[in-house]
Every structure is written in structure tokens, then in C-alpha cells.
Amino acid sequence: GNEGKRCYGPIPVIELRILLQNTGYSNGVISFPDQQFAVDASTRRKGEKMMEVCSDERFKKRVLHIEKRGGEVVSQSKSLGQDMCSLGLFEYAILSVHIHARGCSTAAKFCNRAKKVQLLVSINGTTRPLVIPFYSMNGQP
């Protein structure tokens, strides 16, 4: 029979690129702990989350680019450890995360369904949630 055989099928995947920047909220370094991402696609009637793809090595989250003070560029594509990245004042990084966009056959459908994504930020030793809203194609949150 089919016991022990794996069946693979296509799933809709959207890559989110998130710009992270320390704009001076804290006097020191801010860090972004390693975390699993979920996009909130809830409606008034139903709670729904689209989760990060973690089952495929090709879709693991990674920091694509970090720019430090003085223009030094650090490219990272290695596995993430304790922190995804740490940023000093005015430094920035670009984070790539792949989301299983269940029920979204196009990027436009994903943009219309996605409401927000939450990111954990560690500032002065305290970890806080930061909510990033999505705007639909017509500019409404």
C-alpha cells in the first residue's frame, strides 16, 4: 500500500522581506531574538494565522543584509542562532521570511487577507512585541 510513502504537493509560499532598523528608540543596541513568524489573517468571524515555513531548508528565514555604521556590509545566509541580528544606532538589516499563504493563490490575495505580523524586539534587556500592520491594495489597514 501507500504506508511509508510521502506524498508531496505544492503549497503557496510568500516571501516577506522586513527592514529592521535601530532609529534611536534606545541608547544602546537592539536585538531581534530568533522566533517563528505568523501572519495574522483573522476576520471578525474567524481567527486565522499563516505560519512561517519551517519544514523545508530552502525556505528557512535568514538575514539577507546587515549594514553597520560606516557603510560596512555584512551578508548573512547561515543558520540563525540565539539572535537573528543586533543593531546599533542607525544600523539596519533585511530579514527574509517565507510564509505558508494558505488559501492565497496570488500575492494580491495574500496582501488583501494579511492584517499584521508580530516581531519580538529586545531593547535594554527587555523583550517586547512590535506589531507591523499590512496595508491592503487600496491602502487601508
Side-chain angles (χ1 to χ4, degrees):
N2 286 337
E3 293 178 30
K5 288 188 176 182
R6 291 190 176 169
C7 206
Y8 294 99
I11 63 169
V13 174
I14 294 286
E15 180 188 18
L16 294 181
R17 289 192 178 185
I18 303 170
L19 174 66
L20 309 171
Q21 185 174 24
N22 182 352
T23 57
Y25 185 78
S26 106
N27 293 334
V29 172
I30 63 171
S31 61
F32 299 88
D34 195 10
Q35 56 200 279
Q36 186 174 3
F37 288 87
V39 172
D40 185 353
S42 297
T43 63
R44 288 183 189 163
R45 295 180 184 210
K46 178 171 94 169
E48 184 179 355
K49 289 188 182 220
M50 294 184 262
M51 302 302 291
E52 174 186 347
V53 177
C54 297
S55 59
D56 191 327
E57 214 39 57
R58 297 172 297 167
F59 298 122
K60 292 266 183 188
K61 74 176 149 281
R62 59 186 191 205
V63 177
L64 296 177
H65 176 92
I66 298 176
E67 185 161 325
K68 298 287 189 179
R69 273 194 203 178
E72 175 191 355
V73 175
V74 179
S75 294
Q76 279 186 314
S77 58
K78 62 179 175 69
S79 304
L80 303 172
Q82 188 97 354
D83 286 336
M84 291 186 293
C85 63
S86 296
L87 302 172
L89 186 61
F90 301 121
E91 295 176 347
Y92 72 90
I94 299 171
L95 176 65
S96 171
V97 180
H98 291 86
I99 302 293
H100 177 191
R102 189 176 54 247
C104 299
S105 55
T106 64
K109 191 177 266 191
F110 173 83
C111 290
N112 285 325
R113 288 188 60 206
K115 305 291 185 263
K116 62 187 173 187
V117 65
Q118 184 170 295
L119 175 69
L120 296 176
V121 181
S122 183
I123 303 169
N124 296 329
T126 303
T127 302
R128 301 174 181 162
L130 174 66
V131 176
I132 304 168
F134 285 94
Y135 291 94
S136 65
M137 300 302 261
N138 63 7
Q140 300 295 317

